Amino acid sequence: MVNTDFWRNKNVFVTGHTGFKGSWLCLWLHSLGANITGYSLKPPTTPSLFELCQLEQHIPTHYADIRDQDTLQKALLAAKPEIVIHMAAQPLVRASYLNPVETYETNVMGTVHLLEAVRMAVKKGITIKAVVNVTTDKCYSNKEWPWGYRETDVLGGYDPYSNSKACSELVTDAYRNSFFQNGVGLASARAGNVIGGGDWAPDRLLPDCFRTLSSGGKVKIRNPHAIRPWQHVLDPLSGYLILAENLYAHGTRFAEGWNFGPDDGDGKTVDWIVKQICSKWGNNASYEMDSGQHPHEAHYLRLDCSKAKSLLGWFPKWNVEQAINKSVEWTKEYLAQGDVKTICLQQIEEYSKS
């Protein structure tokens, strides 16, 4: 469970804070009383959760590229963070096929630039106790096994996105071994397919479904039998926060890679997920197969989260049906022109008390 008292007045530097997960994280941290500084490109979609919740009014923000080392280092030095959470990334598999160079530059060299900025800040006397690099479950060399991948399994990645995140893991390990053996707790966090309200990214299942359903269309699905570890966005975010708390308190003891995925029963097929969405949406919502040509995507992927459960005391709270319910509830409130920030905070409070 997240220690709500811990975060009050903590100085936290968050990269990628204008994205879907970053916005939820900042809403949560702000509600806990943390002092957040954000570093990111402008929100990647229109609309965006960041803008709808007016987060710029509450979070000092540097709009800049993670590949701009000088600007990044100046921003981090000015923020004087105690905790750094690195989420800035090119996060889409299909986009990585179209722009592989940009994907590697952002996901690999972006990590190098962030960790180098931390190293320079520490040399200048800033006490940074915890750094969490958020990667992905797709960083593993996927053998399509029926069992979950553990943190000790081989890294890899078929496509440029997945592979770049494996590279980011290796960069993290090298900096941890070379520069952060004393004082700075540096860890990586690997989560599954995250869903929730406020995601408008292209080529993601739920946003694609909601865009189509809200316009009265029929959902098209690419890989109906693909199985993914679906989870509500608050589940992995709680893991990142609990991990940061432990890094802060215990330093290098928790400076490793960590899986934050759903329970095994929540590994569902795309077909199952879309059926649930259509059922909960109502209005005779339906779907059909997309018979077009599509680039390779993994068929089966599962995480073994025994380590986080045993050593961090972290557990997923909302199962996949609850995650879908919360996502549909949020989206319908948005379409009805409701106060989405209030809905977010209500869901965060409900999650925290569950």
Side-chain angles (χ1 to χ4, degrees):
M1 179 179 295
V2 174
N3 182 344
T4 56
D5 292 331
F6 169 87
W7 292 95
R8 190 172 298 113
N9 294 321
K10 288 290 190 302
N11 293 335
V12 186
F13 189 84
V14 180
T15 72
H17 70 300
T18 62
F20 165 58
K21 286 174 73 176
S23 296
W24 273 98
L25 178 66
C26 288
L27 278 167
W28 199 345
L29 285 171
H30 185 261
S31 73
L32 295 175
N35 303 316
I36 311 160
T37 299
Y39 184 99
S40 181
L41 297 175
K42 292 279 188 176
T45 61
T46 302
S48 75
L49 186 61
F50 184 81
E51 291 175 329
L52 287 172
C53 294
Q54 300 178 314
L55 282 167
E56 189 176 24
Q57 296 181 13
H58 305 289
I59 299 171
T61 293
H62 300 269
Y63 290 118
D65 199 307
I66 197 70
R67 296 172 291 179
D68 183 346
Q69 185 171 356
D70 289 342
T71 302
L72 174 61
Q73 186 162 323
K74 290 175 183 176
L76 191 138
L77 285 170
K80 295 182 172 61
E82 302 162 82
I83 297 168
V84 176
I85 302 177
H86 176 45
M87 303 180 74
Q90 191 298 95
L92 301 170
V93 171
R94 285 161 66 89
S96 77
Y97 283 107
L98 298 174
N99 299 294
V101 174
E102 179 183 346
T103 298
Y104 280 102
E105 287 176 343
T106 301
N107 295 352
V108 184
M109 289 311 299
T111 302
V112 173
H113 292 160
L114 185 279
L115 296 180
E116 187 66 9
V118 170
R119 187 170 78 92
M120 292 296 102
V122 171
K123 288 182 70 173
K124 292 178 181 292
I126 295 175
T127 302
I128 300 175
K129 291 191 172 185
V131 180
V132 177
N133 177 25
V134 176
T135 62
T136 175
D137 60 345
K138 298 176 182 65
C139 69
Y140 293 107
S141 179
N142 190 359
K143 309 298 184 185
E144 304 284 351
W145 288 332
W147 54 83
Y149 290 88
R150 296 175 296 176
E151 289 85 350
T152 53
D153 282 324
V154 176
L155 301 176
Y158 180 101
D159 56 87
Y161 166 72
S162 304
N163 188 268
S164 70
K165 284 298 195 174
C167 293
S168 177
E169 288 277 354
L170 294 174
V171 168
T172 302
D173 195 49
Y175 264 78
R176 178 167 48 232
N177 294 332
S178 301
F179 307 117
F180 298 146
Q181 286 296 310
N182 297 307
V184 180
L186 170 60
S188 60
R190 306 157 184 176
N193 281 43
V194 173
I195 62 177
D199 187 4
W200 283 277
D203 292 326
R204 283 186 185 155
L205 182 61
L206 264 71
D208 286 348
C209 286
F210 292 148
R211 270 188 290 268
T212 301
L213 293 174
S214 63
S215 63
K218 181 178 286 190
V219 174
K220 290 187 176 182
I221 56 177
R222 298 190 300 267
N223 299 300
H225 304 300
I227 298 172
R228 297 286 185 271
W230 309 96
Q231 58 191 152
H232 192 272
V233 62
L234 294 178
D235 265 335
L237 291 185
S238 71
Y240 307 161
L241 295 178
I242 292 170
L243 175 57
E245 292 170 17
N246 281 275
L247 290 168
Y248 187 97
H250 304 291
T252 55
R253 176 180 165 191
F254 292 89
E256 303 172 340
W258 298 85
N259 289 341
F260 297 105
D263 290 328
D264 286 349
D266 288 331
K268 301 292 187 181
T269 64
V270 169
D271 178 70
W272 187 94
I273 295 293
V274 175
K275 283 180 179 176
Q276 290 291 314
I277 292 171
C278 288
S279 173
K280 297 176 189 308
W281 189 269
N283 298 325
N284 297 314
S286 60
Y287 69 96
E288 62 187 5
M289 299 301 123
D290 184 347
S291 58
Q293 294 294 315
H294 306 291
H296 173 275
E297 294 186 58
H299 173 73
Y300 193 87
L301 186 60
R302 176 181 290 172
L303 293 176
D304 182 332
C305 302
S306 303
K307 178 179 165 184
K309 293 175 180 178
S310 175
L311 301 181
L312 295 176
W314 171 88
F315 294 88
K317 289 186 176 183
W318 284 351
N319 63 33
V320 65
E321 289 192 48
Q322 290 172 297
I324 292 171
N325 284 340
K326 295 301 178 187
S327 303
V328 171
E329 173 187 302
W330 191 101
T331 304
K332 291 205 166 188
E333 184 70 18
Y334 163 74
L335 292 172
Q337 299 185 326
D339 185 340
V340 295
K341 182 178 181 180
T342 297
I343 289 291
C344 287
L345 293 174
Q346 286 174 348
Q347 290 189 354
I348 290 170
E349 183 177 10
E350 182 180 350
Y351 179 89
S352 300
K353 291 180 177 178
S354 61

